Amino acid sequence: LSVEEINNSAEFINFVATKLPGYGAVLSECGGAHGQHLGFIYNKKTVDLLSFNEDLSISDPGYAGGCNTGSRPLGIGLFQIKSSKQKFYGMTAHLKSGSNPESQAKRTKQFEIIKKLMKELKSKTKIEDFFLAGDLNTTEYVSRGNDYKVLTKFVSDLGMVNLTQSLKCSAYWWGGTDDGIEEPSLLDHVIATPGLIKTSVKPQLSAHCKQVSCKSASLAQLGVSYESVSDHCPITAQIQ
């Protein structure tokens, strides 16, 4: 599981330990300007976490990148499936938010950096399989705008598959008008190499996105998960 926007790391690690027996968790030390850490929850019975590191090069593309400035780092975990000994890299990302041209331009640079990192890791380690998951903030994905084009090219260039491309939404926002109606958006994605896709995959939505079937909805319709938990919804896509 890729997780983002963890402000209280100690409390989160404790939550996993007490509420999810058999699972491990690892989080980044850095969290960008808003202290939003990211990382993984993993099933210790089925996979081993061999290493974890965070890459700050996507925080402020073109600059050194600080632990507590700019966007979040990229979380990179090296995992091994216990039964088959297959190794793969997992990457959790939380890219720059916003639909303005500056934000879109920064996301484009972030995608290029992630692409370069994947190619370098593949060349250096000879490990073929990767997945990238998280809040990629593709604000124009549904409208087939710039974010859609950039992400589609990213996936194609790496020979990967966007397992969540058929979803209609993964989050809600106020829609830019004070009419009391919230609008759907597709910001979160799960992207994987073919070597991690062994079966036919149908992505699943949870929480308020599933409840209102990704249609425009009022706060009352979206309910407590939207109002009190997150504007985003958990999404799942099976790999391995």
Side-chain angles (χ1 to χ4, degrees):
L1 298 169
S2 287
V3 295
E4 311 97 57
E5 293 196 18
I6 308 300
N7 287 113
N8 189 329
S9 297
E11 183 65 24
F12 183 79
I13 296 296
N14 181 64
F15 168 80
V16 173
T18 57
K19 301 297 184 181
L20 296 173
Y23 285 80
V26 60
L27 294 174
S28 63
E29 291 186 14
C30 300
H34 300 289
Q36 297 175 331
H37 306 272
L38 46 74
F40 302 95
I41 301 174
Y42 58 98
N43 188 336
K44 293 190 288 186
K45 294 180 181 179
T46 58
V47 297
D48 290 318
L49 175 64
L50 303 182
S51 67
F52 176 80
N53 66 289
E54 52 199 283
D55 194 296
L56 288 171
S57 62
I58 70 168
S59 298
D60 283 303
Y63 299 92
C67 188
N68 301 307
T69 60
S71 300
R72 286 66 45 172
L74 179 70
I76 306 174
L78 175 59
F79 296 91
Q80 183 173 46
I81 301 170
K82 289 189 174 184
S83 60
S84 65
K85 304 304 180 183
Q86 178 185 3
K87 294 180 181 179
F88 64 92
Y89 279 101
M91 294 185 172
T92 297
H94 185 180
L95 303 188
K96 171 64 178 172
S97 62
S99 58
N100 59 66
E102 293 79 12
S103 296
Q104 292 189 39
K106 183 173 182 177
R107 284 196 294 274
T108 299
K109 293 178 182 178
Q110 290 177 315
F111 276 119
E112 288 299 318
I113 292 170
I114 295 172
K115 183 194 302 185
K116 181 181 178 182
L117 287 171
M118 284 187 176
K119 289 182 176 180
E120 288 176 349
L121 282 172
K122 183 177 179 179
S123 175
K124 180 180 179 180
T125 66
K126 308 306 177 184
I127 293 173
E128 296 284 332
D129 292 314
F130 291 77
F131 81 80
L132 170 68
D135 181 2
L136 305 186
N137 270 310
T138 50
T139 56
E140 292 189 349
Y141 193 88
V142 173
S143 63
R144 298 298 190 261
N146 184 68
D147 286 313
Y148 174 83
K149 296 172 184 176
V150 170
L151 180 56
T152 300
K153 185 178 187 301
F154 171 88
V155 172
S156 176
D157 287 350
L158 289 168
M160 299 178 79
V161 179
N162 185 350
L163 301 175
T164 47
Q165 64 181 341
S166 63
L167 293 179
K168 295 181 179 180
C169 74
S170 68
Y172 272 79
W173 68 300
W174 67 292
T177 57
D178 292 314
D179 58 359
I181 300 299
E182 310 295 286
E183 300 296 336
S185 183
L186 182 54
L187 305 179
D188 309 88
H189 301 268
V190 180
I191 300 163
T193 51
L196 287 175
I197 307 171
K198 302 292 197 295
T199 59
S200 177
V201 176
K202 184 178 181 181
Q204 301 289 331
L205 281 172
S206 302
H208 46 276
C209 294
K210 179 180 180 181
Q211 183 173 313
V212 299
S213 302
C214 287
K215 297 176 182 177
S216 301
S218 66
L219 288 173
Q221 290 172 312
L222 291 168
V224 68
S225 65
Y226 180 69
E227 187 174 359
S228 301
V229 181
S230 175
D231 52 334
H232 292 252
C233 302
I235 58 174
T236 57
Q238 183 177 341
I239 62 172
Q240 199 263 311

